[in-house]
Every structure is written in C-alpha cells, then in structure tokens.
Amino acid sequence: MSIVVPAELREPRGGRFSRALATAGRALATELDAEQGRWFLWIPVFFGAGVGAYFALPAEPDLSLSGGLLLLALSLRILARTQLFAFLLTTIVLCASAGFFAAKVRTAIVAAPVLERHGAYSIEGVVEQFDRQTEKRARAIIRLSSLKYDDAEMRARPFRVRVSLRGDVDLRPGEAIRFRAILGPPPEPVMPGGYDFARASYYQAIGGSGYSLTKPEKIEGGALPWDMVPRTWLADLRGRIGERIKAALPGQTGEIAAALTVGQTAGLDEKSMDDLRASGLAHIISISGMHMSLVAGGMFWFVRWVLALFPSIALRYSTRGLAAMAALFVVTVYLALSGAAVGAVRAYLMIAVVFLAILLNRPALSLRNVALAGLVILVVLPDSLIDISFQMSFAATAALIAGYERFGRYLHFEARNIRERLAWQPVYLLGGVLVTTATAGLAVEPFSAYHFHTLTTYAALGNLVGAPPVDFIAMPAMIVALIAMPFGLEDAPLAVMGVGVDAMMAVAHWVGGLPGSTVPVAAFPFAALLLIVSGGLWLVIWRRSWRVLGLGLIGVGVAMTSIHARPDILVDRDAKLVAVRDREGRLQAPKTRRASYALQQWLRADGDTRKPKEAATGAGWQCDRTSCVSMVKARLVSLIARPDAIEEDCRRAAILVMSMDLARPCPAPKLVLDRGALWERGAAAISLGDGAMAVTTASEGRGDRPWSPTRRKREKIRAEVEGDEPAED
C-alpha cells in the first residue's frame, strides 16, 4: 500500500501547538510508511484486544449488539480507505470488533446450563475422562443422560459434570454409570480477582462439580453417543500405552514417561512436581508446543534425510513438501494419542500453519506465521486468550523469532576449515542455546509472576541442562517405542527413554535445590501486566529505532508491579476459613483442615512462602468449641462454628463470619458475612482504615455472565451425607 502524507501534515499552519502537532504527525506517518510490512502482525493483537474487552464486561452483551458493532466498523473501514490515520484507526476498530464478535459467538455455541443449586443429586451418564489421582481418589468427567434432584428429573441439566470419586474405583471412558453425588456450580475464585475456574469450565461445557456419595454402578446395554465411539477407542488405546510404559519403567520414571507420551499426569508425586517447578522444567510434562515441535521437527528432518538417499525422488520432487506432509501426519497421530488437550490443540494449529507455509514455499519460521497461527486460534477458540498456556507459548515464540531476526547473524558461524569448525562450532552452539533459553525465559516470566506469583531464578540453567536429555534422548526414543509397541518390542527404546527422563529429573532436583531457586511475587495489578505485554509487542513487532519505546512501557509496567493490594481480612466462599493480617503483615488463620486450597492461594498472592498448615496455627486467634475471635486494627473479628456463639458475638464483634444463615437481629457488627451472603457474593477481602471498611467480593469482578449465574440459596445437605468436600480446584 502506498501512503500519501496528508497536506495538513506536509504544510503545517497556525500556532506553535498546531505546528508541533503537524510535525509529530508527519514523523509518525513516515515511520508507519517504513513499517508497512509489519502492519499485518498487529491484526491478531487488536483482534485479541476485542476478545479481552468481551471478557472484561460486567454483563453479557447481546449477540445483535456485537454483530451490529462489527458491521458498523466494517462500513467505517470501507469509507476510510484514502486517508492514512482514518484507515489505520478504522482497521483497529474493525479487528477489535471482530474479536468481540468471535468471543460472543463462541460463548453462544458452547452454551449449556450451569447448576444453581448445591445439594445431593442422582447422576446417570457416560464417562468421558477418568484420571486416578491417588489409590483412594480419582476424578471423572461425566456426560449426563439424567440428573435428578429430590427424585425429580432436572429439565435444564448441565451437559457435563466433574466429580471426585472416593474409594477404589476403576472406570474406563465410554462406560455408562449411575451414582449419587454432592454437586454445585463449578468453583468460583477463592479471592476477589483470583482465577475463575467456573469460566474455564464453562467453555468445556462443564456445568457442575462435586464429589461422590456412593460408588458408581455400571449400566449395561446403553448405546454410546456417536462422537464418543472414536474418543472411547482412543482413550482405551492411550490407557493401554500408559500401562505398558509404566510396566517397563516403574516408579516416577514411568509416570513422567507416560505424561510425555499420552498426557497421563495423575501419578506424578508432589516432590517431582516441586522440583520441576523450581527448576523451570514443569512445562515438559504438559504436552504442548515443545513436544509437538520436537515430534514434528524430528520427523520432518528424518523423512527429508531418508528421501535425500534416493536421487530418483530427491531430484524429481520437493523433499521439503513430502517431509512436511509426513511430519504433519505424525504430529496429528501424536495429538490424538496425547489426549488432545487444549494447549496441545493450539500448538498443533500453529505447527500446521508452519508446514502449510513450507508446502507453499514460504518462510516457515517468521513472525507473520506466528501472527497467522495466533489469529487462527483466536478465531476458532477466542477463550484461549485468557489461558496461561496460550499467553506463555506465544510470548516465547514471538520473542525467539524476533530475537533471531535481529541478532541471528551474530550466532551464525561459517567455518573456513575443519580446525575452525571443531574449535568454534561448539561455542556458537552453546551460545545459541543460552540465548534461546534466556530469551524464552524473559518472555514468559511476567506471566508466571502474574498468574503463579513466582519467578524461577534458575529457569535458564534448568532448561539449558535439563531440556537436552528430553529433546535428544527421551522424545526420539518415545517415537521409536510407539512404532515398536504393536510388535512387542518397546522395552529397549523405553529403557533409553527412561535414561533421558532420569537425567532430566536429576537436573530438576539439583537446580530446584539451589538457594533462591524460586522467588515469591505478591499479586500486582493487571494493568502492570498489560503495560509489560504492550511494551513487549511494540519491541517485537516494529523494526525501526522507535521500537525502543517498548522498553519504556515495559519499565512502567515493571514499576507498577510494586503496587500490591493487601487486604486485612480474607474470607473464603463457604465461610469455613478466615485469615487476618498480623502486626508483621502476615496472614494468620485458625487451626483447621478445611479450605487448605484457599489458604494456599491467599499465601501465594501475598508473596508468602509458608505452607497452609504453617499459616493455620491459630496465632493471633482465640478459639473455643463455638467460635474463634481475633483483633484486627481495633476491630473484633468472629468466625462462628456453632449457633451457640451467635448471641454473644452479635453483642461484641465488629465483623461476623458464619457458615450458617443468620436468622436473628445482630446489631453490633458493622459487617455480617453469613452463608447466604457469601454464597451469593463469593469470597470477600476486607480492608480496614481509620473508621472505614472497604469490602470487595469475588462476584464484583466476575459480573453477570453465563459462567457466573445468579445463585439460588444453598440447600442444607442432610447430616448423614455431610463430610469434608475434596478440593475441586
């Protein structure tokens, strides 16, 4: 496109301000003209901005509104083709409107009822997914065929529910079962601004979660839904492959090998996970971009090498195209065997774009292909934008490709003789690995800090030393083992795979044990992350010198991470737990075994490295059989456990929290959070000032959306079925 600088910018008139404005506009037009080749890269960015705007709304918009905005933006874009800034502005609006519309359409497509009532239900359905977590606990996703409450069939039942199963239960996908369970809406955030599991569940059509009351009973003779037939066959195949891997490689080695091959992660123990997280290698056990790239890339180069051995083929046909088709087929099979998790599907779509570029004789690795892959994923799955794996994978990929565009020539080495090759090639290879690891690590750290509240200090070291055994030993051996498995010859390649896994875990244990391997980060505003991401995009996308302005945005974002919201009191959504801030600024909770997950998340958001049981010692609390009380900034906080304490604490407490409904007048407390209030508004954060009290609840940030419907009052579960509910988070 040829840009014509507007006349008012070429010949500025008027006062000093007008001339300065015209000069700035002229400079901007010149820069934009020189960067025309990079304009396309901003399309998925502004499309994603529209998706983000949809999810940020406090109320659900009508489909007609989103469609009307898209048509309006399209008409403005058509009319503004001749003027530079109007053209760019309307293009931005059009992309954002398209993203907004795509997100609304996606929400309408996956729409399914969400439970509003918490209670005991009779369930019948088909097992879609079954994962054993421990010997006595498993988790299943059930596609419902019947859901009864008080022996009455529910007309608006969810499509799926997720249930924790107690006892020695062994189920297979495709089996029809019936049982009773305590169900409720999918878990909401454990604190205001926290991660919303209910939103993620909504886009998986999971409308309820809970735990079983009875052992599942298998139902014979039912016909499977048509789409479950191939899924059941694949699930059985994955299960058999996992069992054979674990039989050949016992212990955690086999569990990790099964996770790498078929995505079974339930058998991983907490010690292994802690080592992987602390060393920055946790991404290895989650099948996503790295695994797909290794399988596809390894097969691409292997097939191309084999074809090059046959001149009759290599001289007549494009070996790159044939290798690309073979690699795409193999990675498709691997996607199916891995369970087709959302992160793996996104990685597959991106790899498909790369191989399509190869088939069309276009550059395979370029920011344009990254942008195209991101746009395709956001069009098909707009909710991917709010998923941490999407954010981290595209951040790392874009940073790596942009870095090699700018500095790749310094890492390229051409040897003039064999001596130079032997002397310098390893140095350049090691330097390339270091630069790659450091670049990817820097790109994903802001997301890790925001979502997980940790920085992995030695992630570059962990990936530098721990990733090669997986890349060059475990993954190639895995491919050979899968090929040999139908013939019963998998033992030898699996033994080689075990060597690679053990080497990686040895590195993870070593790096994770180094002093300061993880640095806690307190929760900071989303605006800080947004500024860092915006600055990173500006730095990565543009090529000219004005790209350094992105460093300024990143700097402002980093400075804003020092802003921390530290409420004085936190109350969980079921009124089972209250934590207060002591004089040293640390959260303290009464002694309890309940709601440990909520307390763990509160501590992480606080940048506190203590375990939940270390914070739930009762320090700062006085407890008896009926209630616990604590003094916070001259206010008495009471957590009532039994109705006997209501009358006394209603006369003295300033803040009253109780896991039952308050049915009597309670004049003294300034704030009462009973079961009904918390069930309606969710977890609460309370900040105390001089004579003032600010209360923020989880429902305020969630808004009135399809995944957060207005809840009916929580029903009382009969005493004979009450119990400690397993954490569904």
Side-chain angles (χ1 to χ4, degrees):
M1 176 182 176
S2 177
I3 295 180
V4 178
V5 178
E8 61 270 20
L9 298 184
R10 295 196 303 267
E11 301 175 2
R13 298 177 181 177
R16 181 180 301 176
F17 177 77
S18 298
R19 290 195 298 271
L21 186 62
T23 301
R26 186 166 61 251
L28 179 60
T30 302
E31 292 290 339
L32 290 172
D33 188 18
E35 297 271 20
Q36 280 192 62
R38 314 289 277 189
W39 289 3
F40 174 80
L41 305 181
W42 286 101
I43 292 179
V45 175
F46 294 119
F47 189 95
V51 174
Y54 167 82
F55 285 110
L57 290 178
E60 187 66 17
D62 291 334
L63 183 61
S64 57
L65 173 63
S66 58
L69 291 176
L70 178 61
L71 291 176
L72 176 61
L74 179 61
S75 64
L76 294 175
R77 168 64 179 76
I78 294 173
L79 293 173
R81 290 180 296 176
T82 58
Q83 212 283 336
L84 170 63
F85 293 121
F87 167 81
L88 294 177
L89 181 60
T90 54
T91 300
I92 291 171
V93 173
L94 177 61
C95 291
S97 301
F100 189 92
F101 179 73
K104 175 58 184 176
V105 170
R106 166 74 172 158
T107 302
I109 290 174
V110 301
V114 176
L115 283 180
E116 299 178 4
R117 186 197 305 266
H118 186 282
Y121 291 83
S122 298
I123 295 174
E124 289 187 15
V126 178
V127 179
E128 285 195 344
Q129 182 178 322
F130 178 80
D131 295 311
R132 177 154 297 286
Q133 298 171 299
T134 66
E135 292 183 359
K136 296 298 182 181
R137 179 173 295 176
R139 179 171 293 175
I141 294 179
I142 312 296
R143 181 187 295 191
L144 297 177
S145 57
S146 173
L147 185 67
K148 295 181 180 179
Y149 183 82
D150 285 342
D151 296 325
E153 183 70 31
M154 294 191 65
R155 296 181 180 178
R157 64 170 180 262
F159 186 70
R160 296 184 180 96
V161 293
R162 181 173 51 237
V163 184
S164 291
L165 302 170
R166 299 173 174 179
D168 185 14
V169 180
D170 187 19
L171 299 175
R172 296 173 61 186
E175 290 183 331
I177 59 174
R178 67 164 64 97
F179 61 101
R180 283 181 62 78
I182 298 296
L183 294 179
E188 62 187 25
V190 297
M191 61 186 299
Y195 182 75
D196 196 343
F197 288 92
R199 183 171 58 188
S201 297
Y202 179 85
Y203 287 97
Q204 300 173 46
I206 297 175
S209 64
Y211 57 97
S212 64
L213 294 173
T214 62
K215 187 174 182 178
E217 174 190 351
K218 297 181 182 180
I219 305 173
E220 303 294 339
L224 278 177
W226 65 269
D227 61 315
M228 282 291 295
V229 175
R231 294 176 61 180
T232 301
W233 181 82
L234 280 173
D236 286 340
L237 179 61
R238 292 175 59 226
R240 292 196 298 270
I241 292 173
E243 290 172 1
R244 293 176 70 167
I245 291 174
K246 295 173 186 177
L249 299 172
Q252 285 298 292
T253 302
E255 298 290 349
I256 295 172
L260 289 172
T261 308
V262 292
Q264 295 177 354
T265 59
L268 296 176
D269 59 28
E270 192 61 30
K271 179 64 171 64
S272 298
M273 289 303 304
D274 287 342
D275 288 342
L276 289 169
R277 294 188 192 103
S279 61
L281 291 169
H283 63 93
I284 286 179
I285 59 148
S286 176
I287 295 177
S288 56
M290 186 196 78
H291 307 77
M292 292 288 172
S293 300
L294 288 173
V295 171
M299 184 56 60
F300 174 80
W301 292 113
F302 175 75
V303 171
R304 195 175 181 191
W305 174 75
V306 171
L307 293 177
L309 299 177
F310 300 91
S312 58
I313 297 177
L315 297 176
R316 292 184 180 181
Y317 305 101
S318 169
T319 57
R320 293 177 76 247
L322 294 173
M325 288 188 288
L328 189 58
F329 171 76
V330 170
V331 80
T332 302
V333 174
Y334 182 53
L335 175 69
L337 290 178
S338 69
V342 177
V345 172
R346 285 195 294 268
Y348 174 81
L349 291 175
M350 185 171 179
I351 289 172
V353 170
V354 171
F355 283 132
L356 180 62
I358 292 175
L359 291 172
L360 297 176
N361 291 319
R362 304 290 295 175
L365 296 177
S366 67
L367 278 179
R368 182 174 288 268
N369 285 344
V370 175
L372 182 60
L375 184 60
V376 169
I377 293 171
L378 288 176
V379 169
V380 178
L381 300 170
D383 49 294
S384 296
L385 181 74
I386 55 178
D387 189 273
I388 178 62
S389 63
F390 173 89
Q391 298 169 10
M392 296 179 77
S393 62
F394 272 91
T397 304
L400 286 172
I401 293 179
Y404 276 95
E405 277 185 353
R406 180 66 178 85
F407 303 107
R409 64 180 182 273
Y410 299 112
L411 299 174
H412 182 67
F413 175 68
E414 290 289 345
R416 291 175 295 182
N417 52 56
I418 189 64
R419 178 180 296 178
E420 286 190 357
R421 179 175 294 277
L422 292 176
W424 291 101
Q425 193 70 44
V427 176
Y428 275 83
L429 179 61
L430 179 61
V433 173
L434 283 172
V435 170
T436 299
T437 304
T439 302
L442 285 173
V444 303
E445 284 296 355
F447 300 99
S448 177
Y450 181 78
H451 293 285
F452 305 132
H453 309 297
T454 58
L455 291 176
T456 308
T457 310
Y458 306 117
L461 176 62
N463 282 274
L464 176 65
V465 184
V470 176
D471 298 348
F472 301 114
I473 300 176
M475 296 299 290
M478 180 203 73
I479 297 174
V480 176
L482 289 175
I483 296 173
M485 200 168 283
F487 308 100
L489 304 174
E490 72 274 11
D491 287 349
L494 283 177
V496 176
M497 184 180 184
V499 172
V501 169
D502 288 340
M504 183 265 293
M505 289 305 300
V507 173
H509 179 70
W510 169 61
V511 175
L514 294 175
S517 58
T518 57
V519 177
V521 178
F524 53 84
F526 174 72
L529 179 66
L530 191 60
L531 282 171
I532 294 173
V533 172
S534 301
L537 289 170
W538 191 273
L539 188 64
V540 163
I541 291 178
W542 297 131
R543 280 182 169 173
R544 291 169 63 86
S545 58
W546 68 332
R547 67 192 301 176
V548 299
L549 294 174
L551 293 175
L553 287 175
I554 294 174
V556 175
V558 171
M560 287 184 62
T561 60
S562 62
I563 302 173
H564 306 298
R566 294 169 60 87
D568 297 297
I569 304 168
L570 286 165
V571 182
D572 87 315
R573 58 191 173 223
D574 292 321
K576 295 178 181 178
L577 182 69
V578 177
V580 299
R581 198 170 299 281
D582 61 17
R583 294 181 179 179
E584 286 74 33
R586 302 199 307 173
L587 292 174
Q588 303 289 352
K591 291 182 179 180
T592 179
R593 293 183 301 169
R594 294 184 168 190
S596 61
Y597 176 81
L599 183 55
Q600 181 185 48
Q601 297 307 306
W602 295 350
L603 293 172
R604 286 183 180 177
D606 222 37
D608 194 330
T609 58
R610 290 178 297 162
K611 300 292 185 182
K613 68 172 60 173
E614 296 173 327
T617 61
W621 289 86
Q622 295 180 3
C623 297
D624 56 27
R625 296 182 58 190
T626 61
S627 68
C628 290
V629 295
S630 178
M631 188 68 69
V632 184
K633 294 185 176 178
R635 276 97 160 180
L636 185 68
V637 180
S638 173
L639 172 61
I640 294 179
R642 298 192 177 188
D644 302 346
I646 293 178
E647 184 175 352
E648 179 182 356
D649 286 0
C650 272
R651 294 196 302 265
R652 59 175 182 160
I655 299 172
L656 193 67
V657 181
M658 51 194 298
S659 59
M660 57 206 78
D661 291 324
L662 182 63
R664 66 183 68 178
C666 195
K670 301 290 186 182
L671 175 65
V672 175
L673 295 173
D674 64 356
R675 183 178 67 165
L678 289 169
W679 181 246
E680 179 183 353
R681 296 187 287 173
I686 306 168
S687 298
L688 303 176
D690 295 334
M693 181 186 304
V695 182
T696 306
T697 61
S699 63
E700 295 174 12
R702 302 179 76 205
D704 184 14
R705 309 304 297 271
W707 50 85
S708 57
T710 302
R711 292 181 169 183
R712 297 178 60 178
K713 186 175 180 180
R714 183 169 181 164
E715 300 291 330
K716 179 174 175 58
I717 305 168
R718 295 194 307 273
E720 62 267 22
V721 302
E722 283 187 337
D724 290 341
E725 179 179 350
E728 280 299 312
D729 303 300

